[in-house]
Amino acid sequence: MVDLSVRVGSVDFANPVILASGACGFGRELSEYVDMSTIGGICSKGLTLLPREGNPGCRVAETASGMLNSVGLQNPGLEAFLQNELPFMTGLGTRIIVNVAGHSTNDYQKMVERLGAPGTPVDVLELNLSCPNVTEGCMTIGATADGVYNLVNAVRSLTDKPLWVKLTPNVTSISETAHAAQDAGGDAVVLINTLLGLAIDVKTRRPVLQNNTGGLSGPAIKPVALRMVQECYRLISIPIIGVGGIMNAADVIEFMLAGASAVEIGTASLLHPAACAKIIKDLTAYAEDNCLEALSSLTGELKLW
Amino acid sequence: MLKEYEAALVEKKLLGIGNVLLTFACEDIAKMAEPGQFVNVSCSLFLKRPFGICTVDPIGNTFSIGVKEVGAGTKDILTASVGDVFSILGPLGHGFSFDGVKKIIAVGGGTGIYPLYFALDKAKRKGIPAICVNGFRSWQDAFFLSECEELSEKTIFASDAGDLGVKGTVMDALKLLQPEDLTDATVFVVGPEIMMKKVSAWAHVHQLSCQVSLEKRMACGFGICLVCVCKIKSDADNMPFHHVRCCKEGPVFQASEVIW
């Protein structure tokens, strides 16, 4: 039997396949299609302190090999999450990662304190410094190395739980922001969130999205994500979780070779609800075909020219 | 467990100008679907495309959707040949509620007639009388005329061109209803948003319960991506509305809850 398990810092995962924030809700809908206990982990929809209704109007535009979304962090807020959603997630029998978003440093601190308190059934907190669809917090903080450092530093001492920092690709140097996350005490970086994009309706001569811009996801962004994972793998020492356009097991292998310890599956679940289960099955077959004892041995094995 | 189906196209039937009825083989969808629910159908573009279910044959294990070309996705789906296999999710969403419904006034515009046809068919089987009011651009665009007549006690057509039924829209056709037609009626509406808004207002004036099937751009179709939300009235003090998923809580909503 092939060992698919991976370790990210202090946390073990049964396999490297984690459901990405914003593409699995809190697991309710996907649990109707997939035995969630077979998945490596699940990362919640981005949460804010107070409930958010998200952006108005059209929130999706199809693109070549991908899509733009401008949901804008619609979520029930921290209290409703703790009351209604976290107990459900706990019952799924998989690792639980909670994606934490905020308008201000103070918001992040309050949420990390609450969600990251000893004894909460949360395995990892993922700091969302990268959502491109809100006007405060998130990507506005994660756009600079100083912003990342200050935010991670401001919450680091508030919890003993692992802090993953989800970074935006909309920066000049991803390794600088990744380094900042590491220097401030982040336990891992999650690379990458969506790329900021625009779609135009030529009939109306207006943006398709009422938010004007949105975040690009899907296979269209995979090469960008892979390059960023590779670059950071060479320059930082904390683990990397790769995300961006993963549709199949071969994509997962690519991310692991580039340096990812685990991966997150986002847009693929929107197209095929059981994509994660198929990927895990195919990873087993890949490992067997290639006589791998442990899938985790692939991490960073890419040999550059 | 729910599944994503690989379903073969078994029949392609041209109905009117640009309108095609596509029938797929899928036992589960044929047996589970309720009127107002939809399926999300793959095409050669990135995302699936949602279509209201039009007919089911739970014995022959097929279901059908009506497709009109509105963009690259529908164009691609319409190029398919019998035997081609599609990846399909469904049945999805919440359809029409028949709870306490004593009589139906089904108001359809354009492709909205497809899901209403399924609702009329169920009403007939349940012994619920129905009145059908359908609007088209012109006689050439019209389809399902005799089918709707068969399933309804009374049928009124309207056309913008005036060459079929009443000249004008479904609003003009609704004026022809008699007071007794409205007694105990529930209104089901599917069509362009502006039409549904007007029919909802008409139903409100006549104190009739009204259900509308909203249409939004979708991605997943089963509730995880939150891109297809509708504005629904909220009871919360500090919140005038909620964004509710068209694909999951809808697509059919009580018209009284909708903020247009």
Side-chain angles (χ1 to χ4, degrees):
Chain A
M1 187 65 190
V2 183
D3 179 11
L4 292 189
S5 72
V6 297
R7 195 173 177 83
V8 180
S10 59
V11 187
D12 288 318
F13 293 84
N15 60 65
V17 178
I18 297 165
L19 296 169
S21 179
C24 62
F26 302 106
R28 288 183 192 277
E29 298 78 14
L30 285 176
S31 69
E32 294 189 274
Y33 291 89
V34 177
D35 175 357
M36 302 291 269
S37 69
T38 64
I39 310 302
I42 175 172
C43 186
S44 78
K45 172 73 190 166
L47 285 180
T48 48
L49 209 49
L50 298 174
R52 276 179 64 93
E53 292 298 331
N55 290 323
C58 180
R59 294 173 169 189
V60 65
E62 189 175 44
T63 69
S65 294
M67 59 180 273
L68 288 164
N69 89 79
S70 58
V71 172
L73 287 179
Q74 178 174 340
N75 80 92
L78 179 63
E79 290 306 323
F81 169 76
L82 289 169
Q83 206 175 335
N84 308 323
E85 308 298 344
L86 186 56
F88 176 82
M89 289 177 79
T90 311
L92 294 173
T94 187
R95 290 285 187 203
I96 295 170
I97 299 145
V98 178
N99 185 285
V100 178
H103 299 275
S104 63
T105 303
N106 193 249
D107 280 5
Y108 284 94
Q109 287 175 318
K110 283 183 182 156
M111 294 185 64
V112 167
E113 240 173 354
R114 190 77 187 276
L115 289 160
T120 60
V122 173
D123 295 299
V124 175
L125 297 182
E126 180 177 272
L127 298 172
N128 182 340
L129 303 188
S130 42
C131 172
N133 293 322
V134 291
T135 52
E136 293 172 290
C138 296
M139 194 176 84
T140 64
I141 295 173
T144 65
D146 283 350
V148 172
Y149 182 90
N150 291 335
L151 191 285
V152 177
N153 189 49
V155 300
R156 176 64 281 182
S157 62
L158 303 176
T159 182
D160 291 331
K161 291 193 193 288
L163 289 175
W164 292 1
V165 187
K166 189 167 181 181
L167 295 173
T168 173
N170 303 301
V171 290
T172 310
S173 169
I174 190 73
S175 54
E176 277 184 22
T177 48
H179 237 297
Q182 174 178 290
D183 292 346
D187 295 284
V189 287
V190 183
L191 305 173
I192 56 177
N193 205 317
T194 54
L195 285 147
L196 196 59
L198 171 69
I200 296 172
D201 183 331
V202 294
K203 283 189 196 141
T204 60
R205 301 188 176 185
R206 304 196 74 166
V208 176
L209 303 173
Q210 203 175 316
N211 189 49
N212 293 322
T213 57
L216 181 64
S217 66
I221 72 166
K222 195 188 88 176
V224 178
L226 270 177
R227 190 272 294 173
M228 291 186 164
V229 168
Q230 223 297 300
E231 180 180 326
C232 290
Y233 182 73
R234 286 183 289 119
L235 295 170
I236 64 173
S237 54
I238 54 176
I240 298 167
I241 293 87
V243 50
I246 295 173
M247 301 297 286
N248 52 48
D251 293 338
V252 175
I253 303 294
E254 283 189 61
F255 271 90
M256 293 184 77
L257 289 170
S261 297
V263 296
E264 292 184 359
I265 310 290
T267 304
S269 303
L270 272 50
L271 303 185
H272 308 291
C276 52
K278 169 89 164 58
I279 288 171
I280 293 165
K281 186 169 154 249
D282 292 347
L283 282 174
T284 308
Y286 173 89
E288 282 169 359
D289 292 348
N290 289 274
C291 302
L292 290 177
E293 276 181 28
L295 193 69
S296 60
S297 65
L298 291 175
T299 296
E301 281 299 293
L302 180 72
K303 292 190 174 49
L304 293 178
W305 294 107
Chain B
M1 282 277 166
L2 299 177
K3 276 181 8 190
E4 181 173 359
Y5 298 101
E6 297 294 314
L9 179 65
V10 292
E11 193 187 0
K12 212 175 156 178
K13 188 175 165 191
L14 187 65
L15 296 176
I17 291 180
N19 271 289
V20 181
L21 193 72
L22 299 180
T23 305
F24 296 90
C26 183
E27 182 178 354
D28 287 356
I29 295 176
K31 287 190 164 50
M32 291 190 292
E34 291 291 336
Q37 288 189 300
F38 67 99
V39 287
N40 216 5
V41 179
S42 64
C43 65
S44 65
L45 283 88
F46 190 64
L47 298 171
K48 290 187 171 73
R49 297 294 191 269
F51 299 94
I53 296 165
C54 179
T55 66
V56 293
D57 176 358
I59 296 163
N61 294 325
T62 62
F63 74 94
S64 72
I65 56 173
V67 180
K68 186 181 181 181
E69 185 182 321
V70 292
T74 44
K75 185 177 181 180
D76 176 69
I77 288 169
L78 288 173
T79 60
S81 308
V82 167
D84 287 356
V85 174
F86 290 74
S87 164
I88 299 182
L89 290 170
L92 300 169
H94 282 92
F96 293 103
S97 167
F98 282 75
D99 291 349
V101 172
K102 294 181 186 134
K103 181 202 282 179
I104 293 167
I105 300 176
V107 186
T111 55
I113 291 158
Y114 293 121
L116 283 176
Y117 179 79
F118 190 4
L120 289 171
D121 184 56
K122 177 170 175 175
K124 180 104 176 172
R125 282 183 281 113
K126 286 173 74 85
I128 299 171
I131 293 170
C132 187
V133 179
N134 287 344
F136 300 97
R137 286 207 184 119
S138 70
W139 176 81
Q140 282 182 310
D141 288 310
F143 56 91
F144 275 6
L145 301 182
S146 58
E147 286 86 347
C148 286
E149 279 169 345
E150 263 173 43
L151 295 173
S152 314
E153 293 193 334
K154 183 173 189 169
T155 312
I156 307 175
F157 298 116
S159 59
D160 297 336
D163 55 0
L164 172 72
V166 188
K167 180 173 168 57
T169 67
V170 292
M171 297 311 296
D172 299 297
L174 288 172
K175 287 177 194 155
L176 300 183
L177 293 178
Q178 302 300 309
E180 61 268 26
D181 292 334
L182 308 188
T183 309
D184 287 338
T186 299
V187 184
F188 287 3
V189 201
V190 195
E193 187 166 306
I194 181 71
M195 184 201 103
M196 292 196 285
K197 183 179 173 181
K198 285 183 176 172
V199 175
S200 297
W202 173 87
H204 181 72
V205 166
H206 291 89
Q207 296 180 312
L208 300 177
S209 169
C210 180
Q211 300 177 32
V212 295
S213 179
L214 300 183
E215 186 176 82
K216 298 285 171 188
R217 281 189 192 229
M218 288 181 183
C220 71
F222 59 94
I224 61 171
C225 70
L226 307 185
V227 301
C228 66
V229 293
C230 309
K231 263 186 163 177
I232 298 297
K233 286 174 191 162
S234 159
D235 315 328
D237 297 339
N238 54 351
M239 191 68 81
F241 69 92
H242 281 307
H243 274 144
V244 171
R245 298 167 296 185
C246 187
C247 70
K248 194 75 181 176
E249 284 76 24
V252 178
F253 292 94
Q254 294 294 331
S256 57
E257 299 178 330
V258 175
I259 300 175
W260 298 96

